[in-house]
Amino acid sequence: MKCPYCGNPDTRVIDSRPAEDNSSIRRRRSCDECGKRFTTYEKVETIPLIVIKKDNNREQYERAKIENGVLNACYKRPVPAEEIQKTIDAIELSIFNCEEKEIPSSEIGEIVMENLKTLDPVAYVRFASVYREFKDANTFMDELKKFLR
């Protein structure tokens, strides 16, 4: 594993243990060159999942896109980082439990919104406003009314 600090390709594993979710392994590593330590995670490689975008283009699923969307929605909200990660894990689990090789981005968006609804109401509305492309304040208010029921 290449050192993220100096780029040295020779690093040593100091400690290995299961990560909190028991689906990956957490490894503490040390660089032989600069002596700095860093953590890596090893996960089982899953079947590649293809996301069908609104314009019918297809691209490979990227967890980072969901992470960015959820983190942006939770920006400056009193939501613990641990809860955000659990929510992202739950979203990903729901996506892969569909057991499809291709999934529409709209279905992913709905899964994300369902999970954000229980995590934080403001994060939910923030995500929905971008995802549903609200055109004006009235559509925004309509979504808020649905949520407040």
Side-chain angles (χ1 to χ4, degrees), residues 17-27 41-44:
R17 62 180 66 173
E20 291 175 8
D21 60 359
N22 283 328
S23 68
S24 60
I25 296 176
R26 177 184 182 273
R27 299 192 193 281
Y41 291 88
E42 185 178 310
K43 288 185 109 172
V44 174

Side-chain angles (χ1 to χ4, degrees), residues 103-126:
I103 185 168
S105 61
S106 58
E107 197 172 320
I108 293 174
E110 293 300 325
I111 292 170
V112 171
M113 288 201 323
E114 278 305 308
N115 281 274
L116 282 176
K117 210 179 261 190
T118 58
L119 180 67
D120 184 68
V122 174
Y124 164 78
V125 173
R126 284 179 177 172

